[in-house]
Amino acid sequence: MTEFRRPAALLLAGAAMLSLAACTPKGETPDPDTTTPANEGAAAPDAHPTCTTIIPETLVADFKEYGLSAIEEPFAFGDPATTKVEGGITCKWGNPEVPTDHGVQIYGWAPMDESGREKWTAFLTEQGWTHSEGDGLEYFGDPFAEGGMTYAFGDGFVIVADTEDALPLVSFPAS
């Protein structure tokens, strides 16, 4: 890919993500016919999240069409060696031919019981993450980038996305 086509491909990938993200403000109920709601509960015990099952199939197809692929990592609140959540997954979608962190889309899902929720919300609070609540979720946003990386805790799960507006795309199993 030429030096000039790389930025264009990354912009197209970003545009695809934004066009698919239904940006519903907290507290408002998204239209179920046009959006993928945040997970409404824990997945079946024998189900395993993957990079293609935590976001809508249409978004996966668009990413692949733009030459993007997913790097699968453990779900963590920082260093996976010390903050990994068992049974969870974080997916970084990007172009493997472009060594950059720009244009990368991040989505993650993990099961979360009440004791885990207490532990990790306390951890994020101690780290200075901003806290808010709405539409049945408890949000923790990046303290250095308003609207940036955000975790959302629900009943039996936690999700993460590289932007708060992208959180409605994450669910497991994807709806």
Side-chain angles (χ1 to χ4, degrees), residues 15-127:
M17 192 280 302
L18 290 174
S19 69
L20 291 171
C23 301
T24 304
K26 289 182 201 171
E28 290 185 20
T29 305
D31 179 354
D33 294 331
T34 60
T35 65
T36 302
N39 194 338
E40 295 177 4
D46 59 343
H48 301 284
T50 69
C51 290
T52 59
T53 61
I54 65 168
I55 59 174
E57 290 177 18
T58 55
L59 183 56
V60 171
D62 285 346
F63 282 167
K64 288 181 178 180
E65 183 178 324
Y66 289 119
L68 306 181
S69 59
I71 296 173
E72 184 176 313
E73 298 178 352
F75 190 101
F77 294 95
D79 179 5
T82 57
T83 66
K84 177 180 165 183
V85 176
E86 291 298 324
I89 185 172
T90 298
C91 304
K92 295 180 179 177
W93 286 87
N95 185 334
E97 296 178 17
V98 180
T100 182
D101 61 349
H102 299 289
V104 174
Q105 307 297 311
I106 300 171
Y107 306 97
W109 181 95
M112 184 67 51
D113 62 19
E114 193 57 39
S115 66
R117 181 179 182 148
E118 290 173 13
K119 173 184 176 179
W120 294 116
T121 58
F123 174 81
L124 292 170
T125 300
E126 290 169 8
Q127 299 298 315

